[in-house]
Amino acid sequence: MGFIRSRSAVTPLRRGVTAGTTPATGSAATGRRPTVAQAVALHRPEEPMHCIRPAVVSDTARVFVDAFGGAVGGDVLYAVKCNPEPAVLRALWDGGVRHFDVASPGEVRLVRQMFPQAVLHYMHPVKGRQAIRAAYHQYGVRDFVLDSAEELAKILEETDHAADLGLIVRLALPRGNAVYDLSGKFGAAAADAVALLRAVRTVAPKIGVSFHVGSQMLDPAAYERALELAGRVIAEAGVSIDVVDVGGGFPVSYPDVTPPPLDDFMAAIARGVAKLDLPAHARVWCEPGRALVAAGVSLVVQVMKRAGDVLYINDGVYGSLSDAGVPGFRFPARLIRPFEAMTDAPAAGFSFYGPTCDSADRMNGPFLLPADIKVGDWIELGQLGAYGGCLRTAFNGFDQARLIEVADRPLLETPGHEVSVRAA
Ligand SMILES: *Cc1c(COP(=O)(O)O)cnc(C)c1O
């Protein structure tokens, strides 16, 4: 079974086959994985090296699926856009994820090819006609989100007025306080959502409401507030609801950002759902991306030049570090210097320039590293499993990167996500 890559503008990550390591060709490929330091010593990578921790991804998924199941008995839909790498998807499957939030024809094909038994939910509110037709007729997708009457008409026409649709109305939320606010782009205003709910009730056996509070949402109460709004819309529509989808946005730790524990989010959602007075058969869904995969991938870069407290490295904002650019994310960093004794130099703050010739290819950080860091050293940056590798471009020809599987723990723990992976 071949994979269809969901990106074609950039060279796919090249799988590095490490001595003593089984390349992951299936979920049984657990072999003995090296540590990041061992892999750096072996490969001396001059290109960015993505280090997947499959056991961390699987364990994190299992913790999340269990927590959401325990809180509301609900289904966890992994938001594929966050990291569509097949090895990551396989690790999520191994961790018990069976539902996928897909948003494009490429994501539909990729997930269906990898997992014939997966349940796909097409959660983009503005879809192409051919995309809807292929999703329904070729790939077995039954659930579609919408936020307008035009989209509803399109879905009905392209599925030939199918009688087995799940139609989910996406609600707009007031501007929130997520790091990435997504309130402006998608979602129906409350009055429109009321009309849409009444309309979908007449044509679909399964209907629901969804929303997205924004990514890296640090406030559990945001989910409760959004559920209150959903409750008002449902009550006004006066229709029976089969699905409530609380979206994604669940946060992870970054340096200086420690979110409330996962259970606080689950408790807020459980409180909000309890007030909705849903019919007994109704399901609750969520669509996490970042929370499931951020800790599961790190990136090893090499120092090409040092100028004071600025390091020129071999990946940047046009590669896997776009969140370190204008969004200003800081990532946990550690020095990897396999051929010398470990340094006892104190930590200092550094900013980075990426490899392209664009001066906007700059990452202010500061990233904390030993003060004696020098050209040729490697740096491991953590928490890059979410919105890292998938945002790479081929700009300026810096399109090569390697992918390996490692045994290390994450560089940072997120409260409530703690995984049982043994320290490598
Ligand atoms: C991106 C996205 C998600 C995932 O968001 P995270 O912040 O990564 O959890 C979930 N649902 C929708 C509709 C999205 O667009």
Side-chain angles (χ1 to χ4, degrees), residues 59-60 63-64 67 253 258-264 413-419:
D59 282 9
T60 307
V63 166
F64 199 102
S253 293
T258 305
L262 184 61
D263 281 348
D264 289 10
E413 298 280 358
T414 297
H417 295 221
E418 287 85 0
V419 296

Side-chain angles (χ1 to χ4, degrees), residues 202-219:
T202 65
V203 291
K206 179 164 98 183
I207 71 163
V209 289
S210 76
F211 51 77
H212 189 40
V213 296
S215 204
Q216 186 66 7
M217 168 51 75
L218 293 164
D219 180 10

Side-chain angles (χ1 to χ4, degrees), residues 77-82 101 103 123-125 170 180 182 186 210-212 214-217 223 245 247-251 286-292 386-387:
L77 286 50
Y78 170 61
V80 174
K81 78 170 186 286
C82 187
D101 161 359
M123 303 311 282
H124 194 303
R170 168 98 173 246
Y180 275 119
L182 303 177
F186 295 127
S210 76
F211 51 77
H212 189 40
S215 204
Q216 186 66 7
M217 168 51 75
Y223 291 87
D245 176 356
F250 301 90
C286 65
E287 308 165 349
R290 185 187 306 276
L292 298 192
Y387 308 109

Side-chain angles (χ1 to χ4, degrees), residues 139-407:
Y139 296 103
V141 180
R142 292 296 174 265
D143 297 335
F144 295 87
V145 82
L146 58 107
D147 66 1
S148 68
E150 292 76 14
E151 188 74 8
L152 173 57
K154 228 176 5 178
I155 294 168
L156 294 176
E157 284 164 26
E158 297 304 325
T159 60
D160 303 327
H161 295 269
D164 58 354
L165 294 173
L167 295 178
I168 312 297
V169 175
R170 168 98 173 246
L171 281 179
L173 296 181
R175 198 181 154 74
N177 51 346
V179 172
Y180 275 119
D181 191 79
L182 303 177
S183 54
K185 185 166 180 180
F186 295 127
D192 298 332
V194 167
L196 286 170
L197 277 177
R198 289 178 181 153
V200 294
R201 187 71 286 175
T202 65
V203 291
K206 179 164 98 183
I207 71 163
V209 289
S210 76
F211 51 77
H212 189 40
V213 296
S215 204
Q216 186 66 7
M217 168 51 75
L218 293 164
D219 180 10
Y223 291 87
E224 230 179 322
R225 282 195 298 272
L227 281 164
E228 259 173 53
L229 174 66
R232 287 198 294 276
V233 168
I234 293 168
E236 197 176 330
V239 295
S240 159
I241 291 286
D242 310 292
V243 174
V244 172
D245 176 356
V246 301
F250 301 90
V252 299
S253 293
Y254 292 97
D256 303 333
V257 183
T258 305
L262 184 61
D263 281 348
D264 289 10
F265 290 88
M266 296 300 157
I269 290 167
R271 279 194 303 274
V273 167
K275 285 183 208 144
L276 293 185
D277 202 18
L278 295 170
H281 74 275
R283 298 293 293 176
V284 184
W285 299 350
C286 65
E287 308 165 349
R290 185 187 306 276
L292 298 192
V293 295
V297 187
S298 65
L299 177 71
V300 170
V301 297
Q302 192 171 30
V303 179
M304 314 297 288
K305 173 182 168 176
R306 175 170 177 174
D309 59 3
V310 181
L311 303 177
Y312 292 63
I313 60 173
N314 62 350
D315 206 355
V317 304
Y318 296 100
S320 296
L321 293 170
S322 71
D323 276 350
V326 172
F329 273 59
R330 298 174 60 212
F331 295 99
R334 73 171 167 136
L335 173 67
I336 309 243
R337 190 182 272 171
F339 305 113
E340 292 169 49
M342 214 44 197
T343 175
D344 52 13
F350 291 89
S351 62
F352 298 156
Y353 271 128
T356 71
C357 303
D358 184 349
S359 53
D361 192 357
R362 182 185 169 90
M363 298 147 275
N364 287 334
F367 303 93
L368 290 183
L369 288 157
D372 68 351
I373 191 161
K374 59 184 193 294
V375 172
D377 282 336
W378 286 275
I379 299 167
E380 185 186 19
L381 299 166
Q383 301 295 70
L384 274 158
Y387 308 109
C390 56
L391 295 177
R392 295 164 60 225
T393 75
F395 177 48
N396 220 170
F398 293 100
D399 61 342
Q400 300 292 314
R402 192 191 283 269
L403 174 69
I404 61 159
E405 298 194 355
V406 298

